[in-house]
Amino acid sequence: MKNMMNPIKLIQAWDLNRKQESIRSMIEKYGLTDDILDEQVKLNQRRRELNIPDSTKVINDGFVQ
């Protein structure tokens, strides 16, 4: 059974996923620019701080690729 996150973590995960979708959209539209890469790095750092991985990148045994 999947671990239940507290409500604050759920909101944080939703916000991070929303920002990730925005970055993916910008990459599709403009390609990978330095500014977009900087935004991705900031998002990844925030994910690390909050310990909330990108659920679309989870592979076997719960690891993130």
Side-chain angles (χ1 to χ4, degrees), residues 1-7 9-10:
M1 188 168 124
K2 186 177 177 182
N3 287 339
M4 298 297 294
M5 287 197 277
N6 69 46
K9 283 281 191 186
L10 287 173

Side-chain angles (χ1 to χ4, degrees), residues 3 9 13 24 39 41 45-46 50 52-54 60 65:
N3 287 339
K9 283 281 191 186
R24 285 185 184 130
E39 290 301 314
V41 169
Q45 289 171 336
R46 187 70 178 143
L50 297 173
I52 301 174
D54 183 349
N60 294 340
Q65 178 137 347

Side-chain angles (χ1 to χ4, degrees), residues 6-7 11 14 17 20-21 23-25 31-32 38 44 46-49 58:
N6 69 46
I11 292 169
W14 173 82
N17 292 336
Q20 185 65 64
E21 283 304 314
I23 290 170
R24 285 185 184 130
S25 176
L32 184 61
D38 287 342
N44 291 348
R46 187 70 178 143
R47 283 189 183 282
R48 181 182 50 81
E49 290 168 2
V58 175

Side-chain angles (χ1 to χ4, degrees), residues 6-44:
N6 69 46
I8 293 173
K9 283 281 191 186
L10 287 173
I11 292 169
Q12 290 169 330
W14 173 82
D15 186 51
L16 292 170
N17 292 336
R18 184 181 57 84
K19 289 176 182 174
Q20 185 65 64
E21 283 304 314
S22 174
I23 290 170
R24 285 185 184 130
S25 176
M26 288 189 298
I27 290 171
E28 287 179 16
K29 187 172 183 178
Y30 304 111
L32 184 61
T33 66
D34 287 342
D35 291 335
I36 295 172
L37 182 59
D38 287 342
E39 290 301 314
Q40 183 66 60
V41 169
K42 288 177 192 174
L43 180 67
N44 291 348

